[in-house]
Amino acid sequence: MARPPVYDLVTAAGDYPPWDGPPRRTVVICSHMRSGSTLLGEALREAGGVGTALEYFHRGFRPTLQARWGAASLDDYVRAVHRHRTDPSGVLGVKLFWMDLEDLAHERDPEGQPPEGQRLATSTSADDYRRIFALVRDIFPNPTFVHLRRQDRVRQAVSHLTAIRTGLWRSIDGDEREASGPADYDYERIGRIIAAARRAHAHWAGLFAALGVQPYAITYEQLARDYQGTLGGLLRFLGAASGEAPPLRTRPQADAASEAMAIRFVKEDAARRA
């Protein structure tokens, strides 16, 4: 089977002219997987002036970029991200999942962090959240936070499970791929994915409260219902080069099979709880 094409924004074609030093500002999209963050990140890049928000610090994206930029350590990699992905106006765009922030905290302070996945929002104090962010503050200078979430957790989880099973994480014109396997139904795993999303967004809420910031809140459902109006408002808030929403090149991945899986989960979950 032919190797799938590399996502173009990960290649040198996605780099900006070299930037010297830390960015002047960072637009941080705080989200969770399968919430429309690829759509949002691409739209922000096309609008201009707010960087290219990718998962630079996600365990799936980072190795490819780290190898391409020859960055041996985290500090080397941070400097490379700042150099190659800060746009000419001085803005770095970053997409960040909660697990990415925990990974960075572990890397910077391995002895001071609980085991992966065991930090609970209900037992994490405001001081704990501030200590976590202090460990990574230099990575995201002068941050502006955007909180992107998906309200329908069941369909988010079904989308996540389908992407894991098929290997199809995005659908973009010119980036055609073949599924690596079938998307089989799995009640238990869908439930775990839903729980992980709840945990992640509870942590984001705790972090924002601890830092005393009010992020710009946006939902997947708003983007799906009114892409032009929703994105236009965000672009104007961020001070993008254009306040108009650019054309989409990403395509929805939901289909009849994923909808049937979501309905099956809802019915089975209700039956189990009865």
Side-chain angles (χ1 to χ4, degrees):
M1 181 182 295
R3 295 181 62 185
V6 176
Y7 184 31
D8 56 355
L9 294 187
V10 179
T11 70
D15 292 351
Y16 293 109
W19 177 266
D20 187 19
R24 296 194 181 104
R25 180 165 74 111
T26 311
V27 173
V28 186
I29 299 176
C30 304
S31 191
H32 192 67
M33 289 164 280
R34 315 311 289 174
S35 298
S37 57
T38 296
L39 180 156
L40 186 59
E42 291 214 342
L44 294 180
R45 177 182 172 87
E46 289 302 310
V50 286
T52 299
L54 291 184
E55 303 102 305
Y56 299 113
F57 300 96
H58 185 61
R59 59 188 69 169
F61 261 67
R62 178 174 159 184
T64 298
L65 290 167
Q66 195 159 353
R68 182 162 71 79
W69 291 329
S73 67
L74 174 58
D75 288 344
D76 289 341
Y77 182 64
V78 169
R79 284 190 288 271
V81 171
H82 289 175
R83 180 170 178 79
H84 298 290
R85 291 305 172 110
T86 301
D87 75 15
S89 69
V91 179
L92 170 69
V94 174
K95 186 197 307 184
L96 202 63
F97 302 141
W98 179 258
M99 64 183 293
D100 304 336
L101 190 56
E102 287 199 327
D103 282 350
L104 288 170
H106 272 277
E107 199 163 353
R108 284 274 171 91
D109 180 27
E111 299 302 320
Q113 308 303 315
E116 181 183 342
Q118 293 188 22
R119 177 184 277 112
L120 302 177
T122 52
S123 58
T124 304
S125 70
D127 284 342
D128 289 335
Y129 283 119
R130 284 190 284 268
R131 280 192 288 270
I132 291 169
F133 196 72
L135 292 170
V136 301
R137 189 177 294 277
D138 63 303
I139 301 176
F140 314 112
N142 191 20
T144 298
F145 295 102
V146 177
H147 188 197
L148 171 65
R149 59 191 177 87
R150 187 167 181 170
Q151 294 169 309
D152 191 329
R153 295 282 167 75
V154 172
R155 286 174 175 79
Q156 179 181 24
V158 166
S159 175
H160 192 172
L161 177 62
T162 299
I164 291 171
R165 293 283 171 81
T166 64
L168 301 176
W169 289 90
R170 67 187 71 88
S171 179
I172 296 176
D173 292 335
D175 187 16
E176 286 72 24
R177 299 164 185 252
E178 294 183 6
S180 58
D184 295 328
Y185 176 78
D186 186 331
Y187 173 86
E188 300 294 344
R189 191 160 189 182
I190 291 173
R192 290 195 297 271
I193 293 172
I194 291 172
R198 288 175 178 156
R199 171 182 171 273
H201 286 296
H203 277 307
W204 283 129
L207 178 69
F208 298 144
L211 297 180
V213 299
Q214 184 67 43
Y216 190 99
I218 189 171
T219 68
Y220 171 90
E221 286 78 8
Q222 288 174 317
L223 284 169
R225 183 172 58 249
D226 181 15
Y227 169 73
Q228 295 289 336
T230 301
L231 189 59
L234 174 60
L235 292 172
R236 290 188 290 274
F237 170 79
L238 294 175
S242 170
E244 298 297 322
L248 285 170
R249 72 167 184 163
T250 57
R251 298 186 297 266
Q253 290 181 271
D255 56 17
S258 61
E259 182 63 15
M261 192 182 297
I263 293 171
R264 179 178 174 182
F265 176 85
V266 170
K267 289 181 177 179
E268 182 174 352
D269 192 57
R272 292 191 182 206
R273 293 174 185 272

